[in-house]
Amino acid sequence: MFIVSEIRKHKSRQLESQLNTHATNKPIKPPLPPIVQSLLSDCRLAYLSTADNYASHLSLMKFTYIKEDEVIVMSTNRNTKKFELLGKQKGVALLVHDFGGSNGSYSITLNGECEVLKDGEQTEKYRAAHLDHNPDYPQFIVGPDIAMLGIMVSSARICNINDQVTQWNVSDNSKKTANA
């Protein structure tokens, strides 16, 4: 257990170093920053926030990050409030974190647009990758009423365990450091 803990600490220090290097050099441009890619690759659960004109809605979701396409995929039953809200408003927030163990280091809030993916070869490729990443949850991934969702990230707020916040934005290719 000690070795695993040390490996995680070393990986976290490497990623923090990469993030800080970007802060002092050129602005980050797509693809997503390494720390975001790493967390998205390592985690499986996220909190998806959707909204309408009157209220927000929060859902605990299994997700899969498809690095080569820079897309986060999820699935949902078409008979849900979140699916109904996504038909009205594509803007979403996604909270991903690695807290919960003794070595948690980051909480990242991602903002972007969520699209209900149309049936086809690419969607089925995403569905297969999502099922491979979350093999214990086929009931939420495969079925006639299950829609695949694709989230394209446009900004991120990356908060480390010391409450240091770094912002990343695809539209202006910038990264800023701020307080939480």
Side-chain angles (χ1 to χ4, degrees):
M1 193 66 167
F2 175 75
I3 293 172
V4 171
S5 173
E6 289 303 307
I7 290 170
R8 286 183 179 160
K9 286 179 186 176
H10 177 70
K11 185 177 178 183
S12 180
R13 284 191 298 268
Q14 283 180 320
L15 292 169
E16 184 72 29
S17 174
Q18 289 173 352
L19 192 60
N20 288 335
T21 298
H22 286 292
T24 58
N25 294 336
K26 299 176 185 175
I28 297 174
K29 296 180 182 176
L32 295 169
I35 187 63
V36 175
Q37 289 182 359
S38 176
L39 198 66
L40 289 175
S41 295
D42 292 345
C43 295
R44 286 179 167 76
L45 275 175
Y47 302 91
L48 175 69
S49 176
T50 53
D52 62 14
N53 292 334
Y54 307 104
S56 57
H57 180 70
L58 191 63
S59 303
L60 183 61
M61 302 288 292
K62 290 287 189 176
F63 74 92
T64 301
Y65 172 55
I66 310 293
K67 184 176 180 177
E68 59 271 10
D69 295 340
E70 286 292 328
V71 66
I72 298 168
V73 296
M74 301 176 160
S75 52
T76 187
N77 193 298
R78 294 176 191 275
N79 300 318
T80 61
K81 182 175 182 176
K82 88 177 86 50
F83 187 81
E84 177 187 332
L85 292 174
L86 288 170
K88 299 175 185 175
Q89 155 60 314
K90 294 188 181 304
V92 297
L94 194 66
L95 175 65
V96 181
H97 65 84
D98 63 356
F99 301 132
S102 60
N103 297 311
S105 301
Y106 293 95
S107 170
I108 301 176
T109 302
L110 304 158
N111 294 96
E113 287 198 359
C114 183
E115 181 180 328
V116 177
L117 303 176
K118 295 179 182 172
D119 291 337
E121 187 176 323
Q122 185 69 25
T123 299
E124 291 311 309
K125 175 184 158 193
Y126 288 161
R127 186 184 309 275
H130 190 40
L131 184 59
D132 186 54
H133 192 65
N134 298 282
D136 295 334
Y137 297 92
Q139 69 273 27
F140 297 110
I141 300 171
V142 179
D145 290 330
I146 306 294
M148 290 300 298
L149 310 174
I151 298 173
M152 299 300 295
V153 176
S154 57
S155 66
R157 290 181 54 87
I158 306 156
C159 183
N160 70 15
I161 194 73
N162 298 313
D163 205 24
Q164 297 168 326
V165 177
T166 302
Q167 298 178 44
W168 174 84
N169 190 311
V170 70
S171 64
D172 64 8
N173 296 326
S174 71
K175 185 180 87 35
K176 303 168 191 157
T177 303
N179 293 328

